[in-house]
Amino acid sequence: MDKFTVVSVLCSALIANAQQDVKGFDDTVLFDIFWPGNNVDEELGKNEEIIVTSAHQEKYRCILPSIQEKESQADEKYDGPTALDLISPLFTQSTCSYRFETYWTYEVCHGRFIRQYHEDREGKKVKLQEYKLGQWEEKTYDRILEKVKAEEQDKSHQIPLKKIDNINLPYLEVSMENGTLCDLNYNKPRSTKVLYVCYVHGKNEVYSLKETSTCQYEIIILSPFLCSHPKYKPKETGENKINCMPLEGAPDKPYSLMKMKIDSLKLRRNSDFDRIKVEIIDIKDSIKPPAKKPNLDPSPVKSFLTGKNCLNGGTGWWKYEFCYGKSVEQYHVDKDFKKTAIKLGRFNKETHLDWIKTHPQKRPKPKGERKQLSHFYSDGDVCDKTGKPRQTEVKLKCLENTSPSAVSLYLLEPRYCEYILGVESPLICDILAAADENGLVEDNMVDILDGGETVSETTVNIRL
């Protein structure tokens, strides 16, 4: 349509202008086109302008806003504390910020350490699984302060930006090194980059946490302390007006634009009318016998038990794939769709039965008392640290009172290359009763589940 043709031409012109100074181009700057007719401020005539022509040969003179002038006016002289000095109360007051996820809890103690942990409570016993994602060194503050001062004195230095919710925000980076050693990263210590950004209503909370590469993390903290520094305030993202005036007898607005608005108004009215008609219900028609219960499709249960449908999870750098009765895999897919995968274990029935004999506490509880099953997956890829194949205990846990399609996967590593994969899903609930004394579901029980005799309606409706 003509409106989009005009927008394309104007955007091309703006980009062409921005390419003369690439640093001045920012895709978060917003533009809007106005059609004021011939009533326009003469001062705008001093700005750059272009001529555009619609598909109906309607010509318009469009005046482009001056973005660079707005940016230059935003520069302020500042002689106050450095950005690091402004957030230093977080370090001196031993403040900690937390992020709670399905399984892991992340603790960011500013100026001390970053910790990832999970606690399992069994009566009075507490089992703690934790990793240090980075620690603060004694000389860290002085080193960063010296760097920040040098950067703030350098007028040509550009403060780095991070796009958050489509807004470029300046940030102060603090590196935390020397975390727990990572066997997946050639036994190097874990490390984290903590990015502090200005947010007036923030309470120094964790906005986001992600694993940017193997055992390397990035955490964004929303802090009001930085907002008193003018260079760390968010850039204004108000709309910039592009005024387009008609030439050579063209209408105030292009014909196709007006037609599009009229068609849109008609569609809206028709939609409202249709909605009103749907809401008019005849009482006689509303009294009907209850419909028969539809036949439920139990195939997802059988597909899961036969290993055809695998469960995938993980929110960090590494993702996990669990194929029931087949394998456990840890993998990462990069931007070029290249997949790096590590087999954490393969299922072998005889090996599992031997493991159950050796570890009788892993046998399932009597039917009716069961909440989970444990399966043993062995013969994974060889571990560089131990020289032995990786192995995984898979804990299948019934997840109740939640969406039938909910699946939670988490991975623990209590010892080098010996893992525990937790799989929590409503899909597991009806499988518990079908498992034998070794925690296995035999083929005949799979057929019973597939027939829908013992499977609840909620479980059968699962979509993987």
Side-chain angles (χ1 to χ4, degrees), residues 277-337:
K277 287 192 296 184
V278 169
E279 292 172 352
I280 299 175
I281 302 174
D282 192 332
I283 296 178
K284 292 184 297 181
D285 295 335
S286 65
I287 303 175
K288 294 181 179 180
K292 294 182 179 179
K293 183 181 291 186
N295 293 325
L296 300 171
D297 179 16
S299 58
V301 177
K302 184 174 182 179
S303 296
F304 171 72
L305 291 174
T306 55
K308 292 181 180 179
N309 281 348
C310 300
L311 301 181
N312 289 268
T315 58
W317 174 264
W318 289 107
K319 303 291 188 298
Y320 314 111
E321 182 179 71
F322 169 59
C323 299
Y324 182 93
K326 291 188 175 182
S327 63
V328 178
E329 185 176 87
Q330 179 174 263
Y331 66 93
H332 171 73
V333 180
D334 60 23
K335 295 179 180 179
D336 298 326
F337 301 101

Side-chain angles (χ1 to χ4, degrees), residues 244-296:
C244 292
M245 286 72 67
L247 294 175
E248 301 178 6
D252 288 350
K253 297 181 181 180
Y255 166 78
S256 293
L257 175 60
M258 295 300 298
K259 185 176 184 301
M260 182 179 66
K261 288 186 175 181
I262 293 172
D263 292 343
S264 176
L265 183 59
K266 287 181 179 179
L267 287 173
R268 191 181 302 117
R269 286 177 177 173
N270 290 338
S271 176
D272 291 341
F273 183 66
D274 290 340
R275 179 173 58 82
I276 293 171
K277 287 192 296 184
V278 169
E279 292 172 352
I280 299 175
I281 302 174
D282 192 332
I283 296 178
K284 292 184 297 181
D285 295 335
S286 65
I287 303 175
K288 294 181 179 180
K292 294 182 179 179
K293 183 181 291 186
N295 293 325
L296 300 171

